[in-house]
Amino acid sequence: MASVVTVVRDRTARLCLTGLLVSGFGTSAMWLTAGIWVKSLTGSDSTAALTVCAMWAPVLVGPWLGAVADLVPRRLLLITVNLVMAGLMAALLLVGPDHRIGALFAVLLVYGVSGVLLDAAEAALVAGAVDARLLGDFNGLRTTANEGMKLLAPLAGAGLFARYGAVPVVVLDAVTFALAALVFARLREPARTVRKRTRRGGTAAGVRLLRSSPVLWPLVCAGALTMLLAGLNGAAVYAVVETLGRPPAYAGLLYACQGAGSVAVGLLAGPLLRRMPERGFAGAGIAVFAVAVGVRALGGDAVALAASAAIGAGLPCVLIAAMTAVQREAPDMALGRTAAAANSLMTVPNAVALAGGAGLVAVVDVRLLLASTALAGLVTAARLGSGRRVSRAGPEAS
C-alpha cells in the first residue's frame, strides 16, 4: 500500500481524488433520486426510467465533447463545469410545478455532458501531473472512490427524499458541485500541459488514435465487449434473485457485494499493473468476471453473494488498464479526446445491453443467458491474453 500513500501525497492526485469524492457523492445521490422524483410526480415507470437515459445520452458524443478538454485549460474546465452544474441544480428549485419535469430532464441532459467533460479533463490533467508509474494506482483509487460513493450516496439520497422530499437532495448536489469547484481551484496545471492547444486532428482525432494504436485498440475493444456482457449480467440480476426465492430488494445486497469487490480491486490495481502488462491485468480481470457470472447460475445465497463480489473485483480491471494505457500512450494535445473516446466506446455497450438484456430475460432461461455470457467473457479474456505483446512507444512517439 506504499504506492497508494505516494499517490495521495501527490498534490494534484490528492486534489483530483478529493474533488471526485465530493462531487461523486452528490452525483450518486441524485442519480437514484431523479428517477424516484419523476416517478412521484408522474406515476410513470417508463418516464422515471428515462432519467437514466438522459444522463447517459451525452456519452454517445463523448469523442466530440472530449475535444473541449484539448482546447481550453483543463483546470479552468474543471472549475467552470462544476460551477455551472451547481447553478443549474440550484435553479431547479426555482422552477414551478408545471415546468418541473421538463426542466429536470434538461438539467439531467446537461448533467451527462458535464460528466463527459469532467472525466476527459481530469484524465488528461492527471496524465501530465502524476508519475507515469503511479497512473495505475491513481485510476485504481479513482475506481475505489467511485464505487464507495455508489454504495453510500444513493441510500442517503433516497433516505433524504423519503423523509424531506427532493429539495434537500438538490441542495446537496448543488453544494457538492460548488465544493468540488473550490477543490479544483487549488490545482496547478503542469506547465507542459498549459501550452497553446489547437484543433489539430479534429474532434475525431481520439477515435483515430485509438484505432491506429496496437496498444490501446485491443484494450478498448475488450473493454467494450466486457461492458456489453456486464449489461446482460446486470439485466439478469432480478431473475437471479427470483431463482433464489428472495424478494426484489435482495438485489441491493448483491449490488453491495459487487461494489465491495470493486472497492477492493481498486486498491490493488496499481501494484498489480506494475507486475504485469495492462493486457494481462485486463485479461485476468475479464476471466474472473466471466467465471463469476457463470457460477451465479448454480444457485444458492452464498454462491450468489460470492459471485457478486468476484464480478465487482473482475469487471473494473479492463477499464482501469485501458484508461491507464490511454494516459501513457496518447499525446497531450489529443488526450482529452482520446480519453473521452475510450470512455464512450467502453460504456455505451453497457447501456445498450441493459436495455436488450431486459428483453432477453423474458424469453431466455436465466441460467442459459448467464452461461452464454460467461463463455463469451472467457473467449474475450483468452483473445486479449493471446494477442502479441507490443512495447510501449510512449506519448511522444504516439
Side-chain angles (χ1 to χ4, degrees), residues 3-23 78 122 125-126 129-131 134-135 137-139 141-142 145 179-180 182-188:
S3 57
V4 173
V5 175
T6 303
V7 171
V8 174
R9 284 178 177 172
D10 183 280
R11 188 174 187 274
T12 300
R14 183 173 66 253
L15 289 174
C16 283
L17 286 171
T18 302
L20 174 69
L21 278 169
V22 172
S23 64
L78 288 169
E122 184 187 49
L125 191 147
V126 167
V130 176
D131 189 324
L134 297 175
L135 286 174
D137 298 272
F138 175 86
N139 289 320
L141 286 174
R142 193 178 190 280
L179 289 176
L182 291 176
V183 171
F184 290 128
R186 298 182 60 199
L187 282 171
R188 290 192 294 268

Side-chain angles (χ1 to χ4, degrees), residues 51-375:
T51 59
V52 177
C53 295
M55 297 176 78
W56 270 95
V59 176
L60 295 171
V61 292
W64 292 269
L65 290 173
V68 179
D70 294 327
L71 298 174
V72 302
R74 286 147 185 168
R75 171 181 171 273
L76 177 62
L77 184 60
L78 288 169
I79 296 169
T80 302
V81 170
N82 275 287
L83 287 177
V84 168
M85 287 309 303
L88 283 177
M89 294 307 300
L92 267 180
L93 301 178
L94 305 177
V95 178
D98 293 340
H99 304 287
R100 189 159 290 163
I101 295 295
L104 177 58
F105 274 99
V107 169
L108 290 177
L109 191 63
V110 180
Y111 214 123
V113 172
S114 73
V116 175
L117 292 174
L118 291 173
D119 285 346
E122 184 187 49
L125 191 147
V126 167
V130 176
D131 189 324
R133 293 170 297 179
L134 297 175
L135 286 174
D137 298 272
F138 175 86
N139 289 320
L141 286 174
R142 193 178 190 280
T143 297
T144 295
N146 267 328
E147 295 302 323
M149 289 303 98
K150 289 177 184 176
L151 288 174
L152 301 174
L155 295 176
L160 280 174
F161 184 89
R163 183 68 178 85
Y164 303 106
V167 172
V169 185
V170 173
V171 171
L172 170 66
D173 203 13
V175 169
T176 56
F177 274 121
L179 289 176
L182 291 176
V183 171
F184 290 128
R186 298 182 60 199
L187 282 171
R188 290 192 294 268
E189 190 165 357
R192 66 179 181 277
T193 70
V194 182
R195 64 178 182 270
K196 183 180 179 182
R197 299 183 172 101
T198 70
R199 294 182 180 271
R200 183 178 174 183
T203 54
V207 176
R208 287 198 297 270
L209 193 148
L210 289 175
R211 287 182 60 85
S212 65
S213 171
V215 175
L216 302 179
W217 190 240
L219 281 168
V220 172
C221 286
L225 286 171
T226 303
M227 293 307 291
L228 180 75
L229 299 176
L232 294 175
N233 173 67
V237 68
Y238 288 104
V240 170
V241 170
E242 185 177 349
T243 63
L244 295 173
R246 296 287 186 173
Y250 191 76
L253 182 57
L254 297 182
Y255 279 125
C257 290
Q258 183 172 326
S262 296
V263 167
V265 81
L267 296 173
L268 298 173
L272 289 174
L273 278 169
R274 280 191 291 278
R275 289 169 173 78
M276 57 199 304
E278 278 120 353
R279 287 178 71 153
F281 176 70
I286 296 169
V288 169
F289 160 76
V291 170
V293 169
V295 167
R296 246 185 181 178
L298 299 178
D301 284 357
V303 171
L305 294 173
S308 293
I311 287 169
L315 186 57
C317 293
V318 66
L319 304 180
I320 294 171
M323 188 50 59
T324 301
V326 165
Q327 289 172 315
R328 286 175 174 157
E329 298 288 327
D332 176 70
M333 66 181 181
L335 186 48
R337 281 165 284 186
T338 308
N343 273 327
S344 293
L345 291 172
M346 291 189 293
T347 54
V348 168
N350 184 256
V352 173
L354 279 169
L360 279 176
V361 169
V363 296
V364 178
D365 184 276
V366 67
R367 289 167 294 186
L368 177 60
L369 179 61
L370 291 175
S372 302
T373 301
L375 179 60

